[in-house]
């Protein structure tokens, strides 16, 4: 029997990062960069004012305040720079260009003058009432980053801030690992399409839509979800077709030791591993490759499939996307009826996490920990982990929670 870390290592060993592609930076949000991207523009691109106020020569502010200077022009954001002669001032807006040597100039905030803030006609003169010597309120061209310096480095996940940085640095395309294309196969003659009233021995196919939704939560946009019955010929044909144009195949059901476990029947002879993992729920697992594509075979009971997905699939998606797998987690205080422990298996219970003034709280999704309790899964945020060999956890005990999302 494998431990959870052993099975996770086996799952991750099936995958390598997908080959990088060139992507328009506007479409690259959420992707992992495969190469450094140097700045093509400096930031700021030109020397500019950090405040609304008046641009003056520092040498014109000798002696003590106040100082009065004639105002010769406006400089708006987006306008061309205006040279400034000694003994005069320019009314300047935040972001407007500054002409001349910034070592010799400074911007006086409007609040430090006799001019009222806000819209108004260009004043004939300005009286400066206060001076803050330590701040010139001038942003120098390239003070954030210079042309040629790395703006984004390989391994960065391009978030909203990264997109803004790229655009500001003149980067229009990046080299990134694409999002994996994932196929989901639910197996079993007993499963019905959502909305169809079950007959004797039949069940709604909740796993297929659940796994597709979990993939969407993790940023996967290309998902094919299909159902297959218990016939080995149909399953083999289906998995051959899906593995030809997908980067990962997930199955649910058919992994145990039953007479009609079609997933195991078809794939185990080709080298896919099936066995038990020291966890509850979801002890029956499978993993390997099919036609060179990672194949993860999850249990058929809904809670077991949910738990197993959260344990093994997000790290695998991160690996395919070129990232180092990370496991977001918190330590919470348990509430409710507590959680059982098992002598030789890790117990994993979906929990609802709340953040309070006294700390993080975790409430189990149900009074029991059962693989069939799918009606209790709504609005859960992670998995509480009860290590093997310990005592039952009760309300108030600390518990480690693996979060669904970081």
């Amino acid at each position: 029997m494998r431990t959870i870390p052993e099975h996770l290592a086996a799952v991750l060993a099936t995958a390598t990062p997908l080959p990088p592609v060139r992507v328009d930076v506007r479409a690259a949000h959420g992707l992992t960069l495969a190469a450094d991207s140097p700045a093509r523009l400096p930031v700021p691109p030109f020397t500019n004012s950090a405040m609304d106020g008046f641009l003056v020569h520092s040498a014109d502010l000798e002696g003590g305040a106040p100082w009065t200077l004639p105002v010769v022009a406006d400089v708006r954001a987006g306008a061309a720079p205006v040279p400034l002669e000694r003994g005069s001032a320019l009314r300047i807006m935040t972001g407007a260009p500054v002409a001349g040597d910034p070592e010799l100039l400074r911007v006086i905030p409007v609040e430090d003058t006799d001019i009222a803030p806000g819209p108004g006609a260009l004043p004939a003169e300005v009286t400066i009432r206060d001076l803050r010597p330590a701040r010139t309120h001038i942003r120098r061209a390239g003070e954030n980053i210079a042309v040629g310096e790395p703006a984004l480095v390989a391994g960065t996940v391009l978030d909203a801030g990264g997109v803004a940085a790229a655009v500001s640095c003149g980067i229009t395309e990046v080299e990134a690992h694409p999002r994996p294309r994932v196929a989901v196969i639910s197996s079993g003659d007993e499963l019905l399409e959502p909305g169809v009233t079950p007959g004797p021995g039949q069940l709604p196919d909740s796993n297929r839509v659940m796994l597709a939704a979990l993939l969407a939560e993790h940023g996967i946009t290309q998902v094919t979800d299909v159902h297959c019955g218990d016939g080995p010929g149909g399953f083999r044909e289906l998995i051959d077709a899906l593995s030809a144009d997908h980067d990962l195949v997930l199955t649910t059901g058919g992994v145990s030791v039953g007479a009609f476990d079609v997933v195991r029947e078809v794939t185990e002879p080709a080298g896919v591993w099936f066995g038990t993992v020291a966890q509850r729920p979801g002890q029956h697992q499978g993993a390997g490759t099919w036609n060179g594509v990672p194949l993860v075979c999850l249990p058929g009971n809904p809670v077991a499939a949910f738990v197993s997905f959260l344990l093994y699939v997000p790290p695998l998606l991160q690996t395919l996307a070129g990232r180092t797998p990370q496991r977001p987690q918190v330590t919470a205080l348990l509430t409710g009826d507590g959680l059982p422990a098992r002598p030789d298996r890790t117990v994993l219970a979906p929990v609802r996490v709340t953040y309070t003034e006294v700390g993080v709280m975790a409430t189990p999704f149900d009074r029991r920990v059962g693989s069939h309790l799918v009606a209790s899964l709504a609005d859960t945020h992670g998995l509480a982990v009860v290590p093997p060999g310990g005592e039952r956890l009760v309300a108030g005990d600390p518990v480690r929670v693996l979060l669904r999302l970081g």
Side-chain angles (χ1 to χ4, degrees):
M1 181 164 59
R2 286 178 174 176
T3 65
I4 291 173
E6 287 171 345
H7 187 57
L8 176 59
V11 168
L12 296 182
T14 67
T16 56
L18 298 175
V21 294
R22 296 293 297 177
V23 185
D24 187 305
V25 70
R26 293 169 294 182
H29 179 247
L31 299 185
T32 304
L33 302 185
D36 293 351
S37 293
R40 304 179 70 177
L41 294 174
V43 177
F46 52 86
T47 300
N48 66 88
S49 175
M51 302 287 288
D52 294 329
F54 294 86
L55 180 67
V56 301
H57 282 270
S58 297
D60 289 335
L61 305 182
E62 295 178 349
W67 302 272
T68 299
L69 297 169
V71 180
V72 297
D74 269 325
V75 190
R76 304 178 181 213
V82 177
L84 177 64
E85 299 292 334
R86 283 285 309 270
S88 60
L90 294 171
R91 187 169 67 170
I92 194 166
M93 303 299 111
T94 301
V98 171
D101 185 351
E103 289 286 344
L104 305 177
L105 301 170
R106 67 175 55 245
V107 173
I108 304 300
V110 66
E111 295 87 352
D112 294 338
T113 74
D114 66 337
I115 305 301
L122 182 70
E125 62 181 21
V126 60
T127 296
I128 300 166
R129 296 169 171 170
D130 191 20
L131 175 65
R132 308 174 196 182
R135 302 289 297 274
T136 65
H137 301 297
I138 293 175
R139 305 164 178 154
R140 299 177 183 232
E143 70 176 32
N144 185 194
I145 193 168
V147 172
E149 292 182 345
L152 303 168
V153 298
T156 299
V157 179
L158 199 64
D159 57 10
V163 172
V167 171
S168 297
C169 292
I171 298 167
T172 57
E173 287 188 333
V174 292
E175 190 171 344
H177 299 281
R179 292 180 178 87
R181 301 163 298 172
V182 184
V184 175
I185 306 173
S186 62
S187 67
D189 289 341
E190 74 277 15
L191 300 179
L192 297 175
E193 286 292 322
V196 178
T197 302
Q202 296 179 319
L203 296 167
D205 188 359
S206 62
N207 281 355
R208 179 157 54 101
V209 294
M210 176 183 70
L211 294 180
L214 285 168
L215 288 165
E217 289 181 1
H218 285 82
I220 305 302
T221 57
Q222 298 184 63
V223 178
T224 302
D225 61 279
V226 294
H227 170 255
C228 183
D230 288 325
F235 179 80
R236 182 184 299 275
E237 181 179 347
L238 181 60
I239 196 172
D240 279 342
L242 291 173
S243 61
D245 57 6
H246 289 79
D247 306 304
L248 168 63
V249 177
L250 303 178
T251 68
T252 175
V255 299
S256 188
V257 291
F260 302 101
D261 284 335
V262 64
V263 175
R264 185 168 189 168
E265 178 183 354
V266 170
T267 62
E268 189 172 36
V272 176
W273 178 89
F274 288 89
T276 56
V277 178
Q279 66 179 76
R280 281 287 190 176
Q283 66 173 344
H284 294 290
Q285 301 284 338
T289 60
W290 189 264
N291 295 331
V293 174
L295 172 65
V296 178
C297 305
L298 305 175
N301 280 315
V303 177
F306 179 85
V307 165
S308 300
F309 178 99
L310 296 182
L311 283 177
Y312 306 116
V313 178
L316 181 57
L317 295 173
Q318 292 174 17
T319 298
L320 289 167
R323 305 177 196 174
T324 300
Q326 295 184 344
R327 179 76 75 184
Q329 55 189 284
V330 296
T331 298
L333 297 179
L334 194 63
T335 68
D337 296 325
L339 290 171
R342 291 196 169 240
D344 59 348
R345 299 174 196 272
T346 299
V347 174
L348 301 142
V351 291
R352 297 177 180 91
V353 176
T354 54
Y355 298 87
T356 73
E357 293 181 355
V358 297
V360 184
M361 303 295 179
T363 304
F365 76 128
D366 196 274
R367 291 180 294 105
R368 300 162 291 169
V369 180
S371 60
H372 64 293
L373 301 173
V374 62
S376 299
L377 278 179
D379 196 34
T380 54
H381 310 112
L383 303 176
V385 180
V386 184
E391 299 293 328
R392 177 184 177 89
L393 298 184
V394 298
D397 283 343
V399 63
R400 184 165 66 102
V401 177
L402 306 180
L403 298 175
R404 280 172 63 173
L405 298 172

